[in-house]
């Protein structure tokens, strides 16, 4: 029998529940109790709840052993998932508010725009891109000019890397990697997080082809470089559209350095999770990039916070497409005209999922603030000038926390 009840186990959970209820009713999310109907056997648990699912495998006797296995020994959540665990370890159980969001994410008919970049009317394409950047902060592009086999190749390379033996992947951990620009890890920032995220990743900061040849993993290097290089023309075109709408006449060397002076590619792996409703693949955040170019597989799970309604909107995989989103750097450069938007990724109880984002960023030494072209007509700046490397450092030294990072640059 389905019960229209949410189980809360503490006074703090009760307060969060009522705050959450008020917040979502403000955004016209109706019939709260119906949308959070859950089966009695799938109650929401707090980390201290004696009725919560507990780790019941013979491999681990306490949570510290789980952390050691996943984080310190480099097995990641992929290795944890492959032990056959039947219940989520305590350190992955998210706070009540996040678990409530998990129940709401598909309760809307809203959808982010899908833009065909092959349209012969380029002005119309540019207008659609800028409109989506202002109203959604997210959009998908199709017929973008990047060969589909390049996309298939980098997805296959992602699977190959994560299927390597643990000792091979561990050559690229923070402790073992021969380059600070190459990092294999898990979650987001385990030392700063109260609740861990159900994701492993390989992060590759591009310096040069020669540096990549020397330090990037052989098993995925060529495919990742090809993916990055074949995407540059599309990225530049998108930035030209966005720039012209900000009175930037051309993407000259100075503006190119500011908009796309550095690039990072991540290979992300989200393994099957025993209790996906209790955790997240990635928590609520906005990116620190100028633009993020995301390649998804067919599984899905990415959700975006609608600026208009506050609802969480699923971004369904469209074959051959990219998901494009505005990052904090572009929001700051545009003085808030373009919006970097909260997004999150669900964990999945049935399928492994991968994604391959390209983070297009200013150079680390760039100073970001409202562009002179934007405030030339007297528009009041709402952000101060900040060193981009300081902004990124601030982002990575804390857990994901929605849109709070951009406050660092507010006047």
């Amino acid at each position: 029998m389905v019960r229209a009840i949410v189980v809360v186990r503490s006074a703090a959970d009760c307060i969060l529940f009522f705050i959450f209820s008020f917040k979502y009713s403000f955004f016209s999310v109706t019939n709260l109790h119906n949308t959070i109907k859950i089966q009695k056997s799938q109650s929401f648990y707090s980390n201290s709840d004696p009725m919560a699912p507990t780790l019941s495998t013979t491999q681990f006797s306490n949570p510290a052993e789980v952390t050691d296995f996943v984080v310190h020994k480099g097995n990641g959540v992929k290795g944890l998932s492959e032990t056959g665990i039947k219940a989520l370890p305590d350190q992955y159980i998210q706070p009540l508010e996040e678990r409530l969001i998990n129940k709401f994410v598909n309760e809307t008919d809203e959808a982010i725009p899908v833009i065909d970049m092959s349209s012969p009317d380029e002005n119309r394409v540019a207008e659609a891109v800028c409109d989506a950047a202002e109203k959604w902060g997210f959009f998908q592009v199709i017929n973008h000019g990047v060969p589909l086999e390049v996309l298939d190749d980098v997805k296959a390379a992602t699977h190959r890397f994560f299927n390597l033996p643990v000792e091979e992947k561990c050559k690229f951990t923070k402790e073992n990697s021969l380059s600070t620009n190459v990092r294999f890890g898990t979650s987001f920032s385990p030392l700063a997080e109260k609740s861990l995220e159900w994701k492993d990743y390989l992060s590759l900061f591009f310096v040069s082809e020669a540096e990549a040849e020397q330090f990037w993993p052989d098993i995925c290097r060529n495919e990742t470089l090809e993916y990055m290089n074949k995407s540059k023309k599309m990225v530049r075109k998108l930035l030209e559209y966005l720039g012209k709408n900000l009175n930037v006449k051309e993407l000259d060397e100075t503006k190119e350095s500011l908009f796309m002076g550095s690039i990072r590619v991540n290979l992300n792996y989200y393994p099957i999770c025993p209790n996906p409703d209790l955790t997240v693949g990635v928590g609520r955040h906005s990116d620190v990039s100028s633009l993020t170019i995301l390649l998804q597989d067919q599984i899905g799970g990415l959700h975006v916070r609608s600026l208009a309604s506050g609802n969480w909107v699923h971004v369904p995989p469209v074959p051959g497409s990219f998901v494009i989103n505005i990052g904090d750097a572009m929001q700051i450069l545009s003085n808030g005209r373009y919006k970097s938007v909260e997004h999150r990724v669900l964990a999945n109880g049935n399928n492994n999922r991968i994604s391959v984002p390209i983070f297009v960023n200013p150079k680390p030494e760039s100073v970001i603030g409202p562009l002179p072209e934007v405030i030339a007509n007297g528009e009041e700046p709402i952000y101060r000038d900040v060193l981009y490397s300081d902004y990124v450092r601030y982002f990575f030294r804390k857990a994901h926390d929605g849109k709070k990072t951009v406050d660092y640059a507010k006047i």
Side-chain angles (χ1 to χ4, degrees):
M1 176 182 292
V2 176
R3 305 274 184 93
I5 182 170
V6 171
V7 180
V8 288
R9 303 288 181 178
S10 68
D13 274 3
C14 288
I15 293 169
L16 273 173
F17 172 75
F18 286 113
I19 290 173
F20 189 93
S21 302
F22 173 79
K23 177 166 62 177
Y24 276 84
S25 64
F26 177 78
F27 283 119
S28 301
V29 177
T30 59
N31 209 3
L32 175 66
H33 289 286
N34 287 335
T35 45
I36 55 178
K37 286 178 181 178
I38 54 174
Q39 302 225 357
K40 184 177 179 181
S41 63
Q42 293 177 316
S43 302
F44 292 101
Y45 301 96
S46 68
N47 289 19
S48 59
D49 181 5
M51 296 179 64
T54 56
L55 196 63
S56 57
T57 62
T58 56
Q59 294 95 325
F60 312 104
S61 60
N62 59 66
E65 289 188 9
V66 177
T67 300
D68 185 55
F69 178 81
V70 173
V71 179
H72 303 133
K73 292 183 178 177
N75 289 280
V77 283
K78 181 177 186 290
L80 185 60
S81 175
E82 290 173 350
T83 66
I85 60 167
K86 303 301 182 185
L88 194 72
D90 285 354
Q91 53 265 66
Y92 288 93
I93 297 176
Q94 295 292 314
L96 177 68
E97 183 175 3
E98 299 304 316
R99 288 176 267 148
L100 283 167
I101 292 174
N102 286 347
K103 292 295 179 183
F104 274 94
V105 290
N106 294 315
E107 299 295 326
T108 179
D109 294 327
E110 294 173 273
I112 70 169
V114 178
I115 300 170
D116 186 346
M117 292 190 71
S118 69
S119 170
D121 188 345
E122 189 172 11
N123 288 334
R124 192 168 182 176
V125 174
E127 183 180 337
V129 166
C130 295
D131 187 66
E134 292 181 19
K135 294 178 181 176
W136 275 98
F138 266 81
F139 52 96
Q140 296 201 66
V141 294
I142 58 175
N143 299 321
H144 39 64
V146 183
L148 297 184
E149 58 267 25
V150 171
L151 308 187
D152 290 339
D153 287 349
V154 77
K155 286 189 285 188
T158 299
H159 281 288
R160 285 200 303 273
F161 174 79
F162 285 101
N163 285 332
L164 284 172
V166 172
E167 56 269 21
E168 288 297 313
K169 289 183 288 191
C170 279
K171 292 177 181 178
F172 305 101
T173 60
K174 180 180 180 180
E175 295 75 18
N176 298 328
S177 181
L178 298 177
S179 170
T180 57
N181 297 318
V182 179
R183 180 72 49 80
F184 167 63
T186 190
S187 192
F188 174 66
S189 183
L191 296 179
E193 294 168 298
K194 292 182 179 178
S195 300
L196 299 178
E197 300 175 350
W198 196 259
K199 180 192 79 169
D200 298 331
Y201 65 88
L202 175 69
S203 181
L204 302 166
F205 184 83
F206 179 75
V207 175
S208 67
E209 296 271 348
E211 200 261 2
E213 182 70 31
Q214 184 176 1
F215 296 115
W216 290 18
D218 292 343
I219 203 163
C220 59
R221 179 183 59 243
N222 293 339
E223 294 83 359
T224 305
L225 285 172
E226 183 76 352
Y227 167 62
M228 182 189 74
N229 289 328
K230 291 293 187 182
S231 300
K232 283 182 179 178
K233 184 177 179 180
M234 177 195 67
V235 169
R236 185 178 178 86
K237 180 60 67 177
L238 291 171
L239 289 171
E240 285 175 351
Y241 293 155
L242 295 167
K244 285 180 181 177
N245 194 47
L246 300 175
N247 300 317
V248 175
K249 291 186 169 63
E250 64 172 326
L251 205 62
D252 59 18
E253 188 175 335
T254 300
K255 286 298 192 292
E256 185 173 303
S257 175
L258 187 59
F259 286 163
M260 53 184 299
S262 66
I263 292 177
R264 180 184 298 275
V265 184
N266 272 21
L267 312 184
N268 295 329
Y269 192 93
Y270 305 86
I272 292 171
C273 179
N275 302 105
D277 287 349
L278 301 182
T279 191
V280 292
V282 179
R284 293 179 296 119
H285 72 288
S286 59
D287 295 343
V288 294
S289 56
S290 302
L291 280 183
T292 301
I293 315 299
L294 177 71
L295 175 64
Q296 315 192 71
D297 65 10
Q298 77 283 3
I299 303 302
L302 171 65
H303 290 80
V304 173
R305 187 85 174 259
S306 167
L307 290 169
S309 68
N311 292 331
W312 287 97
V313 179
H314 184 227
V315 182
V318 175
S321 72
F322 285 114
V323 180
I324 312 295
N325 67 277
I326 301 298
D328 289 354
M330 183 63 76
Q331 177 170 320
I332 292 167
L333 291 165
S334 70
N335 203 35
R337 185 178 304 181
Y338 301 142
K339 309 297 192 301
S340 66
V341 171
E342 276 185 289
H343 51 287
R344 69 200 300 273
V345 176
L346 293 181
N348 193 298
N350 300 307
N351 297 286
N352 300 316
R353 176 182 184 265
I354 62 162
S355 67
V356 191
I358 301 173
F359 300 102
V360 181
N361 312 303
K363 281 188 174 180
E365 62 270 24
S366 294
V367 174
I368 59 171
L371 292 166
E373 293 89 344
V374 173
I375 59 176
N377 61 357
E379 183 177 319
E380 194 70 25
I382 59 177
Y383 300 104
R384 60 188 176 89
D385 289 346
V386 296
L387 185 66
Y388 184 64
S389 58
D390 287 344
Y391 189 86
V392 172
R393 196 173 296 114
Y394 175 72
F395 175 72
F396 279 105
R397 69 172 175 232
K398 57 186 177 58
H400 281 142
D401 56 2
K403 279 285 295 175
K404 292 181 181 178
T405 304
V406 78
D407 291 341
Y408 176 81
K410 279 188 175 178
I411 291 177

